[in-house]
């Protein structure tokens, strides 16, 4: 990829990296190359390296260059979903008999991939509290090839000190993987803190408008980047051209959106801490959050995700989700509109009965970019 944008500010990179003007027409936005195959100039004579769109597509290339630049990496790869990206990464890094350390508050889909899919392939995993580097170190074995981190985590908003766990991974000879979906590269840059690979669900903040599903991997190792690209092509769960174009379009406004998401979420978290029907608020921007100091050190702002526990138990949490009028009851997150959900019965049902089970009285908010007064009033009426 080109490194010409790496000395620019994030906001400029978001708009310009990968977005070179079309040489034929001068179009300032990359075209949607809705094409499967490409004319060759003689056998093996490829124009720009394109032969078949599973292997490479110009619209996807534009997105992949943009992703690499945003994360300060050397190689970005775009996939059909976040889980497709994770699957490619695991099959690249791991072989039967290998071991992975996963967080005790991982996203339900990630846990399901380890527990129900990769484990059948002979890969072992164990759970650690990644907010405590000593817990991670204790979980490492002589077969550990990867340490998996989400920070902030989904849905408990736990914070992991990326640099501290990177030191543990280095000592163990393992790769550190950081799921950066909740923060986005605007708020947090894991590769600069020692991570080997960054994972994204592009569906969330990167796309930002609840209209596309996608995933990404970014690494600062050219060698690992080549291995991942080989598996991406061999496995084939690539991002399509229109999906790539939509994510690129979303990324252009990522910085201004994340500023508003973070500002709104902070005000909502503060209101919830004062509400008598809320027993606990999980938001790293609150000074009382156990990960607040680490988050303040490694994040630009605290993001748009807020979780909280209600005093009335699980049924009250479920009923609350049905009473909001501006917050939409729905899974996923990171869009411009505010969403509310019950993790125990929705996004994290796959971890029920496991070491990663989430509290029944937990409610998760994806705070959008609407007027914050409207959001506050909606939650107050729903809480009653």
């Amino acid at each position: 990829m080109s490194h010409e944008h790496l000395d620019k500010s994030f906001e400029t990179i978001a708009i310009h990296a990968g977005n070179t003007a079309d040489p034929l027409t001068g179009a300032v936005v990359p075209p949607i190359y809705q094409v499967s195959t490409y004319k060759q100039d003689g056998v093996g004579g490829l124009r720009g390296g394109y032969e078949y769109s599973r292997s490479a597509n110009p619209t996807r290339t534009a997105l992949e260059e943009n992703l690499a630049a945003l994360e300060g990496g050397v190689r970005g790869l775009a996939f059909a979903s976040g889980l497709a990206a994770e699957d490619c990464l695991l099959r690249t890094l791991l072989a039967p008999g290998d071991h992975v350390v996963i967080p005790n508050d991982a996203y339900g889909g990630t846990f399901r991939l380890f527990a129900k899919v990769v484990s059948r392939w002979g890969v072992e995993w164990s759970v650690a509290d990644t907010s405590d580097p000593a817990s991670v170190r204790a979980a490492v074995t002589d077969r550990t090839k990867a340490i998996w981190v989400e920070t902030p985590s989904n849905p408990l908003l736990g914070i992991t000190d990326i640099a501290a766990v990177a030191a543990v991974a280095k000592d163990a000879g393992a790769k550190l993987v950081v799921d950066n979906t909740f923060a986005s590269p605007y708020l947090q840059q894991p590769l600069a803190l020692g991570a080997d690979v960054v994972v994204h669900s592009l569906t969330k903040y990167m796309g930002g408008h609840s209209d596309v599903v996608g995933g990404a991997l970014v690494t600062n190792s050219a060698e690992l980047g080549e291995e991942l690209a080989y598996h991406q092509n061999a496995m084939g769960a690539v991002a399509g051209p229109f999906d790539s174009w939509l994510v690129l379009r979303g990324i252009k406004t990522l910085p201004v959106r994340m500023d508003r998401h973070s500002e709104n979420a902070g005000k909502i978290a503060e209101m919830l801490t004062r509400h008598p029907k809320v027993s606990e608020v999980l938001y790293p921007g609150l000074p009382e959050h156990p990960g607040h100091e680490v988050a303040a050190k490694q994040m630009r702002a605290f993001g748009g995700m807020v979780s909280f526990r209600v005093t009335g138990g699980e049924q009250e949490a479920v009923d609350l989700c049905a009473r909001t009028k501006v917050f939409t009851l729905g899974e996923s997150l990171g869009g411009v509109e505010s969403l509310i959900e019950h993790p125990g019965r929705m996004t994290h049902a796959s971890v029920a009965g496991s070491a990663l089970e989430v509290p029944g009285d937990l409610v998760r908010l994806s705070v959008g970019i609407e007027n914050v007064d409207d959001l506050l009033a909606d939650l107050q009426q729903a809480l009653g």
Side-chain angles (χ1 to χ4, degrees), residues 54-375:
R54 170 171 38 78
S55 305
N57 171 282
T59 315
R60 193 173 94 223
T61 297
L63 172 60
E64 291 178 336
E65 290 186 359
N66 184 275
L67 293 168
L70 290 178
E71 286 285 6
V74 299
R75 190 70 179 264
L77 300 158
F79 295 83
S81 70
L83 282 168
E86 293 186 6
D87 188 40
C88 177
L89 176 60
L90 294 176
R91 292 177 194 274
T92 302
L93 294 182
L94 304 173
D98 289 344
H99 173 259
V100 188
V101 178
I102 66 171
N104 63 358
D105 53 353
Y107 162 57
T110 299
F111 173 76
R112 183 178 57 220
L113 184 61
F114 280 105
K116 305 295 186 185
V117 181
V118 182
S119 62
R120 293 175 61 194
W121 189 49
V123 170
E124 296 180 10
W125 52 273
S126 55
V127 173
D129 175 4
T130 61
S131 69
D132 176 12
S135 173
V136 178
R137 196 179 297 275
V140 167
T141 76
D142 57 2
R143 294 181 291 112
T144 302
K145 294 295 192 296
I147 297 172
W148 196 281
V149 163
E150 285 178 25
T151 183
S153 68
N154 180 11
L156 299 178
L157 282 301
I159 298 295
T160 294
D161 187 327
I162 296 171
V165 177
V168 175
K170 188 173 182 182
D171 288 347
K175 300 290 188 191
L176 175 60
V177 179
V178 177
D179 184 336
N180 204 26
T181 298
F182 267 29
S184 88
Y186 177 65
L187 298 185
Q188 183 170 269
Q189 305 253 299
L191 296 179
L193 296 169
D196 296 289
V197 188
V198 171
V199 175
H200 282 283
S201 169
L202 297 175
T203 312
K204 313 306 193 294
Y205 289 108
M206 302 288 266
H209 293 77
S210 303
D211 56 9
V212 62
V213 172
L217 300 173
V218 182
T219 180
N220 49 13
S221 162
E223 181 183 6
L224 179 56
E226 280 300 314
E227 292 179 35
L228 291 169
Y230 176 86
H231 281 84
Q232 179 193 42
N233 182 51
M235 296 168 69
V238 296
F242 186 53
D243 290 349
S244 297
W245 185 88
L246 279 172
V247 175
L248 260 179
R249 185 174 188 260
I251 285 171
K252 289 181 173 71
T253 60
L254 177 68
V256 291
R257 287 187 287 106
M258 294 309 296
D259 284 342
R260 175 63 74 88
H261 285 300
S262 299
E263 182 184 346
N264 283 358
K267 291 176 179 176
I268 285 169
E270 287 176 16
M271 181 275 287
L272 290 170
T273 61
R274 298 191 298 270
H275 201 285
K277 292 190 177 177
V278 175
S279 60
E280 185 181 13
V281 182
L282 307 174
Y283 185 65
L286 295 171
E288 61 266 30
H289 188 286
H292 176 71
E293 289 183 16
V294 172
K297 178 181 70 174
Q298 69 188 18
M299 298 176 72
R300 187 193 300 244
F302 300 105
M305 299 302 298
V306 179
S307 290
F308 63 98
R309 300 177 72 172
V310 295
T311 55
E314 180 168 356
Q315 192 56 51
E316 175 57 26
V318 171
D319 293 345
L320 169 66
C321 290
R323 291 197 293 262
T324 57
K325 295 177 170 61
V326 182
F327 281 82
T328 299
L329 177 62
E331 298 194 3
S332 199
L333 58 107
V336 292
E337 67 291 302
S338 293
L339 300 176
I340 188 169
E341 68 118 3
H342 184 264
R345 296 192 187 181
M346 294 170 69
T347 53
H348 289 68
S350 59
V351 299
S354 78
L356 284 78
E357 183 169 9
V358 297
D361 58 3
L362 188 76
V363 174
R364 191 190 74 179
L365 305 177
S366 173
V367 180
I369 64 171
E370 301 96 337
N371 182 287
V372 73
D373 292 333
D374 294 337
L375 298 177

